[in-house]
Amino acid sequence: MNTDSAAHRGAGRAPHPSAAARPTTGGTVRRTLLRTALTGAAALGAGLGAARPATAAAPTRDTRPRPGTPAEALRELAAGNRRWRAFRERHPHEDPALRRTLATGQHPFAVVLGCIDSRVPPELVFDQGLGDLMTVRTAGEVLDEAVLGSVAYGVLELAIPLVVVLGHQSCGAVRAAVEAEESGTKLPAHMQYLVDQIGPAIDHGKEGDARIDATVSANVRLVRSRLAAEPELAARIGTGKLAIVGARYELTTQAVHRLA
């Protein structure tokens, strides 16, 4: 992934459950966590240049250490997105032995809060496998108590060092929010909740498609700031054990870049 200001390269890889489990953190999560229902359970990459297509590699199982810091996790996601863009996916951590090991526990290295859009599956765009990512997906990355509790579970109970809020180009939920505000139309059923949550991020300094595109980025920043303001998460950010970053996936280039 690229930052808005600079790009940094890196790579890192995780073992998986075959490595020693990371210690979990204690403390009470303010948001109610239904643990029994959750059993088992600065920079991103380089370049937006197009890569030459190549045949995807067979699934692999790496033996390098699992990313244990925010910087290591960012580098691993960046490396995976570079493989995705170059059509050199490894599809790691899918082998039978690993699947059996995962039955006894999980040690993901990042939480990705992304949109429900079918074109943006985090495990694919970051070329990660089973047990690597804890993904939470809602239309427009909208937060509610269940989403907050899910993110907190990953960070506080599984000691995950990185949370990525991942928006994307041409987000339908953002478009719906912008168009609903402009027309004064109320959306049916629970979709109005999504519009109300995205509404504060609408960029009124632009018009048309430019407004929608700018609002995609503004919404990511808004969600990221809300997460970072959660006391338990903010405490881990303050000690360097956690980073919460915002990023965008561009459908036209398949690149993920970080939003400042």
Side-chain angles (χ1 to χ4, degrees):
M1 294 190 259
N2 296 336
T3 63
D4 283 350
S5 58
H8 302 264
R9 288 188 180 272
R13 189 63 226 138
H16 245 332
S18 58
R22 288 175 56 85
T24 58
T25 56
T28 300
V29 180
R30 182 162 58 86
R31 310 289 179 181
T32 300
L33 301 178
L34 301 180
R35 298 185 186 180
T36 56
L38 294 171
T39 54
L44 303 176
L48 291 174
R52 183 171 59 189
T55 303
T60 62
R61 185 179 186 185
D62 293 337
T63 57
R64 283 171 286 181
R66 168 191 184 272
T69 68
E72 290 171 355
L74 286 169
R75 287 195 292 270
E76 175 55 32
L77 293 184
N81 182 241
R82 287 196 297 274
R83 296 192 298 270
W84 168 254
R85 300 199 314 268
F87 300 92
R88 295 182 180 276
E89 302 95 323
R90 294 177 182 169
H91 302 292
H93 301 145
E94 298 177 3
D95 60 274
L98 175 72
R99 296 185 194 189
R100 290 191 293 271
T101 303
L102 283 172
T104 63
Q106 61 169 332
H107 308 289
F109 68 85
V111 175
V112 179
L113 170 56
C115 184
I116 60 172
D117 195 292
S118 63
R119 300 166 293 178
V120 195
E123 288 86 355
L124 292 185
V125 303
F126 291 120
D127 191 28
Q128 301 300 317
L130 297 174
D132 289 328
L133 304 180
M134 179 172 284
T135 59
V136 186
R137 301 179 68 177
T138 64
E141 309 87 59
V142 165
L143 296 175
D144 62 13
E145 286 296 304
V147 174
L148 286 166
S150 298
V151 173
Y153 180 88
V155 172
L156 302 178
E157 299 300 314
L158 299 182
I160 292 174
L162 177 67
V163 176
V164 177
V165 180
L166 183 64
H168 66 93
Q169 180 184 18
S170 302
C171 179
V174 169
R175 177 179 289 276
V178 170
E179 292 179 348
E181 184 193 66
E182 292 173 348
S183 66
T185 302
K186 290 289 186 181
L187 271 65
H190 300 287
M191 289 187 288
Q192 185 61 40
Y193 177 81
L194 303 175
V195 168
D196 292 341
Q197 293 297 307
I198 296 171
I202 293 176
D203 189 326
H204 295 101
K206 295 181 173 62
E207 300 293 337
D209 287 343
R211 171 176 289 178
I212 294 168
D213 192 68
T215 300
V216 168
S217 297
N219 184 57
V220 168
R221 294 185 178 102
L222 178 62
V223 172
R224 185 244 164 233
S225 66
R226 287 175 174 172
L227 286 173
E230 288 291 308
E232 296 92 343
L233 303 184
R236 293 187 69 83
I237 293 172
T239 61
K241 295 179 179 178
L242 172 68
I244 302 179
V245 304
R248 274 183 57 140
Y249 178 70
E250 305 301 337
L251 296 171
T252 51
T253 64
Q254 296 86 56
V256 177
H257 61 94
R258 184 173 172 181
L259 297 174

